[in-house]
């Protein structure tokens, strides 16, 4: 039934499913088995780098190609709201009435900003719904940047001409997650310097079989977007069928790891009240552990 | 049977049990339930800070009090050997024939140098055997320093007058794990400066209810050991029965967490070969996950 409504593209069926998943409900088995075709693009970068405006432009560009686009915005600063945050609707307002566009804000997992299993289930539901392109925008703090590279087919790291942006990325060890660099706000002075810095660094690590290009954009002015889409297309060609399959297997492994770890942490929490019995020698830790698994 | 031999203090029963545990064998249930009285002291610090020589002196001092002492040396640089490393025997050679002393080197868990569940089981076996004091010496790299504070009743962080030793400890975020600081090699110039630096820093964070003392030692010359034991005794008094109980509950929680996480990672490994079936839509990830737990 839900499957049929998904196949027909009923947006209320999608919204209901996502609300269910956010509330911790089961992911309906038949939905999970629907065929999927989406390209998943991760967009990450420091706060203020203009990711949301860039995302808006990417939506627009793919819509002009007739593709259906979904956006998941993972926002570590917001508690789990179970719904869209008004801000996104405002920023991406011009797509609000477009049935080919779906935008959803989700909370991240814990303080480190990692991607949660709920986020991955919502992503999976969007794929099952038949979107062609799914953008995942994460605020570039802590774990979320590294996680996104485990999930996306293509990862875009957004920098700005702001002195030290690239340096920060190096320090945080996130340079290597980028398949494509974007130097956004490139109408500001310093954009070419950042591009040069990136090239210099990437040439140093010249063992790479894919040299991530650095694309200058001005999302605000709508500049550089075709070049970005071109860079993404080239990366897809570089991956090939085998490379893409490998990325998707990595994502499934990542998702399974989170499911197992979440399960382990729930079990640990459940068992905590029984530890005093172990301490007093009434029960062994092994016996407690075996009772959990 | 094994229990009886443990109660009688048969060292071959202990050696056999540890060999069994190292090989991945089950921890015999009855041994786990034996009463235990050991004080567990973690000793950590950078390579070259003289931890082993200090450990040797601590053994000696407790032996003079008539206490039975065991040492676990966690060495992240060695592969899992399943037995004692000759070096320890040489460095701590004077205790080699003392039946009241037991020394064992164990490999750490993975590259990060964390403490493994095997190490925790060996620790538990040593407690069950009836040792009064168990010293765990970890090389101060990566995870092992943080882990040790989750395991020990008292954690000793060993620094030297070497310029920058204290600074490194700050950077690595391990200052807060110390219950007692040791400034070893204090016959070298700069020891008083390090002590002053420590005091200055600790006073800044003056919210602490326990102000970790900084004890100057020269392990090589056998100096400062009574003062160190005195500092440990004072920390024990500070903890009190309730504080000690809390630490031991924390250790059990830590151990259970490792057991659960190891279990989760084994399951993930087992399931990896089935991920292509999920990718091709033959099977859902949820179904695979549920088959694992």
């Amino acid at each position: 039934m839900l499957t049929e409504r998904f196949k027909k593209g009923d947006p209320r069926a999608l919204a209901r499913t996502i609300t269910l998943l956010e509330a911790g409900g089961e992911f309906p088995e038949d939905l999970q088995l629907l065929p999927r075709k989406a390209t998943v693009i991760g967009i990450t970068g420091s706060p203020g780098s203009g990711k949301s405006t860039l995302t808006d432009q990417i939506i627009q560009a793919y819509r002009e190609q007739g593709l259906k686009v979904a956006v998941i915005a993972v926002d570590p600063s917001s508690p789990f709201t179970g719904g869209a945050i008004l801000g996104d609707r405002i920023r991406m307002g011009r797509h609000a009435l477009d049935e080919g566009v779906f935008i959803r804000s989700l909370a991240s997992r814990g303080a480190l900003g990692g991607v949660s299993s709920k986020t991955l289930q919502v992503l999976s539901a969007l794929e099952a719904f038949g979107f062609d392109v799914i953008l995942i925008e994460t605020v570039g703090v802590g774990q979320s940047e590294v996680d996104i590279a485990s999930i996306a087919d293509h990862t875009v790291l957004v920098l700005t001409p702001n002195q030290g942006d690239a340096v920060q990325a190096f320090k945080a060890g996130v340079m290597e997650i980028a398949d494509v660099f974007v130097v956004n706000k490139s109408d500001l002075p310093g954009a070419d310097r950042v591009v040069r810095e990136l090239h210099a660094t990437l040439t140093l690590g010249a063992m790479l079989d894919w040299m991530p290009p650095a694309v200058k954009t001005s999302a605000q002015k709508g500049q550089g977007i075709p070049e970005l889409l071109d860079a993404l297309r080239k990366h897809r060609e570089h991956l090939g069928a085998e490379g893409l399959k490998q990325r998707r297997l990595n994502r499934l492994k990542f998702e399974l790891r989170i499911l197992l770890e979440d399960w382990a942490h729930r079990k640990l929490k459940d068992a905590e009240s029984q530890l005093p019995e172990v301490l007093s020698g009434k029960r062994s830790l092994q016996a407690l552990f075996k009772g959990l698994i």
Side-chain angles (χ1 to χ4, degrees), chain A:
Chain A
M1 175 65 189
L2 203 55
T3 313
E4 289 315 308
R5 290 174 67 196
F6 259 56
K7 282 182 184 164
K8 278 183 201 144
D10 176 354
R12 283 170 308 167
L14 176 62
R16 191 164 305 176
T17 301
I18 290 179
T19 302
L20 174 87
L21 292 174
E22 284 177 331
E26 289 262 328
F27 197 165
E29 176 79 8
D30 50 347
L31 288 188
Q32 287 190 65
L33 296 175
L34 283 175
R36 33 200 76 200
K37 60 184 174 183
T39 295
V40 179
I41 302 172
I43 299 172
T44 188
S46 2
S49 57
K51 289 181 302 297
S52 291
T53 314
L54 188 71
T55 300
D56 177 78
Q57 295 283 3
I58 297 172
I59 295 171
Q60 184 68 12
Y62 281 125
R63 288 300 292 144
E64 284 166 10
Q65 297 178 18
L67 300 174
K68 285 173 65 188
V69 183
V71 178
I72 299 176
V74 179
D75 184 350
S77 65
S78 86
F80 201 83
T81 57
I85 288 168
L86 196 61
D88 295 320
R89 291 273 169 207
I90 292 168
R91 275 179 299 180
M92 300 177 191
R94 62 168 157 165
H95 308 296
L97 295 174
D98 180 350
E99 287 236 333
V101 176
F102 183 93
I103 298 171
R104 192 80 170 205
S105 286
L106 295 175
S108 70
R109 176 171 69 145
L112 285 172
V115 170
S116 73
S117 64
K118 280 180 188 172
T119 302
L120 287 161
Q121 288 185 353
V122 170
L123 171 60
S124 193
L126 292 169
E127 288 178 300
F129 195 73
F131 283 101
D132 299 296
V133 177
I134 302 174
L135 307 170
I136 306 183
E137 184 196 324
T138 62
V139 178
V141 288
Q143 193 54 38
S144 64
E145 291 175 316
V146 180
D147 284 0
I148 206 68
S150 305
I151 293 163
D153 299 330
H154 314 286
T155 302
V156 176
L157 182 59
V158 185
L159 305 171
T160 69
N162 182 14
Q163 182 88 32
D165 232 29
V167 177
Q168 283 305 318
F170 276 110
K171 280 196 190 156
V174 296
M175 293 302 274
E176 62 266 30
I177 66 162
D179 299 314
V180 173
F181 290 100
V182 161
V183 181
N184 195 28
K185 306 189 179 179
S186 63
D187 46 332
L188 296 179
D192 288 319
R193 184 185 42 73
V194 174
V195 171
R196 276 197 308 275
E197 280 175 17
L198 287 170
H199 278 305
T201 316
L202 293 168
T203 314
L204 276 176
M207 260 74 71
L208 300 168
D209 58 344
W210 165 256
M211 187 70 72
V215 180
K216 286 194 290 181
T217 63
S218 167
Q220 203 100 54
K221 300 184 179 170
Q223 290 165 356
I225 308 304
E227 290 78 2
L228 171 55
L229 264 54
D230 199 47
L232 289 168
R233 196 182 44 70
K234 282 192 182 129
H235 183 246
R236 176 63 156 263
E237 279 169 17
H238 161 75
L239 284 179
E242 198 45 49
L244 194 63
K245 187 180 163 192
Q246 201 49 55
R247 292 224 166 185
R248 288 172 177 182
L249 284 174
N250 282 346
R251 172 176 145 204
L252 287 173
K253 189 178 171 188
F254 177 82
E255 188 164 359
L256 185 57
R257 180 164 69 75
I258 289 186
L259 287 172
L260 283 165
E261 283 177 358
D262 284 356
W263 179 89
H265 290 140
R266 277 198 306 277
K267 287 284 172 181
L268 182 60
K269 219 168 173 180
D270 291 349
E272 210 172 334
S273 64
Q274 298 166 61
L275 290 176
E277 282 180 41
V278 177
L279 190 60
S280 65
K282 281 198 201 78
R283 199 172 171 186
S284 77
L285 193 68
Q286 284 293 325
L288 175 58
F289 169 61
K290 284 194 181 150
L292 296 173
I293 60 172

